[in-house]
Amino acid sequence: MRLNYEATGPADAPVVLLGSSLGATQAMWAPQLDALSKRYRVVAFDHRGHGKSEVPPGPYTIDDLGGDVVELLDTLEVEQASYVGISLGGSVGLWLAQHAPERIHRLVAICPPSNTAANPQPWIDRAAQVRAEGTQAVADATLGRWFLPDFEEDLEPVRRMLLDCPDEGYAACCEAISALNLLPGLKDITAPVLLITTDSDQSVPPETVVPLASEIPGAHLEIVEKAAHLVTYSHPDVINPLLLAHLA
Ligand SMILES: O=C(O)CC1=CCC(=O)O1
């Protein structure tokens, strides 16, 4: 699988991978790049079906998405990296920590869905809707979940990113999310984990993230106040110091 990625920071610095949300590209990490790339080789990638990565026909599985990242590490000849992921990207991080523990140095999982298999129908319905009508059919609702109404920045670039997402890639990743259950392997994770959730996340409610902290050995939990789902984008002033402290 050919994954698109953008690398910034010193070529010989420790590598940090950045995994994005459903419907987003690596460009969503712009608010983190300056802070992280002073100390790290930052590799922000597009999941399969997203951005400039390949778009094979779906459905995809979390094994596909996680396996793609292992393949990317192999291609980059990186033995071990830290990983920061949000939303679907956070789920991929939890998968990597369970299935490729020797490749993950430290993990930050932000607002990660972990047991959507318990209620798969909304994701199956969303996949069908996007295959039939395109990502424009879900763009307004998505922006409403990603940001609180008082977030004043221009959201057009984010809307454009969603509209540009290949419909098949978006739908196929919804199907991966619909079958997701990462709970059984949490107790076996050995990498140091920082979990981040927010008080107003309607996509992946905090009640589904907080309990993960007592399942993952030694995990640290942070709850960001007055923030919705795409907290890396809306609150870099809060998130970036948390990332730097955990990755150090
Ligand atoms: O679009 C959403 O609802 C937010 C979301 C949940 C999982 C993911 O990757 O994005």
Side-chain angles (χ1 to χ4, degrees):
M1 183 58 47
R2 193 192 50 73
L3 288 196
N4 176 58
Y5 66 90
E6 299 288 332
T8 44
D12 57 349
V15 172
V16 177
L17 294 164
L18 301 180
S20 316
S21 184
L22 172 69
T25 71
Q26 49 74 31
M28 64 152 284
W29 293 102
Q32 278 67 53
L33 286 190
D34 276 357
L36 294 184
S37 64
K38 287 190 179 72
R39 291 191 208 165
Y40 299 101
R41 180 73 168 164
V42 180
V43 177
F45 65 90
D46 295 331
H47 296 294
R48 65 165 67 193
H50 283 64
K52 293 185 191 147
S53 288
E54 264 183 78
V55 190
Y60 308 157
T61 65
I62 190 71
D63 291 4
D64 293 329
L65 296 163
D68 291 346
V69 179
V70 174
E71 216 176 286
L72 176 61
L73 285 172
D74 290 344
T75 304
L76 297 172
E77 297 182 1
V78 172
E79 209 43 57
Q80 198 179 50
S82 289
Y83 181 102
V84 178
I86 185 165
S87 200
L88 175 59
S91 310
V92 169
L94 292 171
W95 184 96
L96 287 164
Q98 295 178 19
H99 292 87
E102 69 289 354
R103 308 304 291 271
I104 300 302
H105 181 50
R106 303 180 81 84
L107 170 66
V108 184
I110 306 167
C111 307
S114 56
N115 186 21
T116 8
N119 182 22
Q121 201 55 46
W123 294 100
I124 293 166
D125 293 347
R126 206 195 293 189
Q129 185 183 15
V130 167
R131 280 208 181 86
E133 302 168 37
T135 57
Q136 73 265 15
V138 298
D140 282 343
T142 300
L143 291 175
R145 289 188 301 270
W146 281 7
F147 302 104
L148 292 180
D150 65 359
F151 184 59
E152 284 180 349
E153 241 177 69
D154 176 17
L155 291 181
E156 267 325 292
V158 187
R159 178 188 299 278
R160 176 50 46 209
M161 193 166 58
L162 282 167
L163 297 182
D164 288 346
C165 183
D167 298 338
E168 178 60 19
Y170 187 104
C173 280
C174 287
E175 287 159 342
I177 294 171
S178 77
L180 200 63
N181 183 4
L182 295 163
L183 300 185
L186 294 179
K187 62 181 183 330
D188 302 320
I189 290 179
T190 51
V193 175
L194 169 62
L195 286 165
I196 301 178
T197 182
T198 74
D199 62 355
S200 304
D201 187 348
Q202 295 173 41
S203 295
V204 183
E207 310 87 80
T208 67
V209 179
V210 171
L212 309 185
S214 35
E215 295 293 318
I216 302 172
H220 181 68
L221 173 72
E222 292 282 347
I223 304 175
V224 181
E225 311 257 311
K226 298 191 183 125
H229 187 63
L230 214 68
V231 62
T232 44
Y233 199 88
S234 59
H235 290 67
D237 50 329
V238 179
I239 292 295
N240 293 353
L242 293 175
L243 299 184
L244 288 169
H246 185 71
L247 295 173

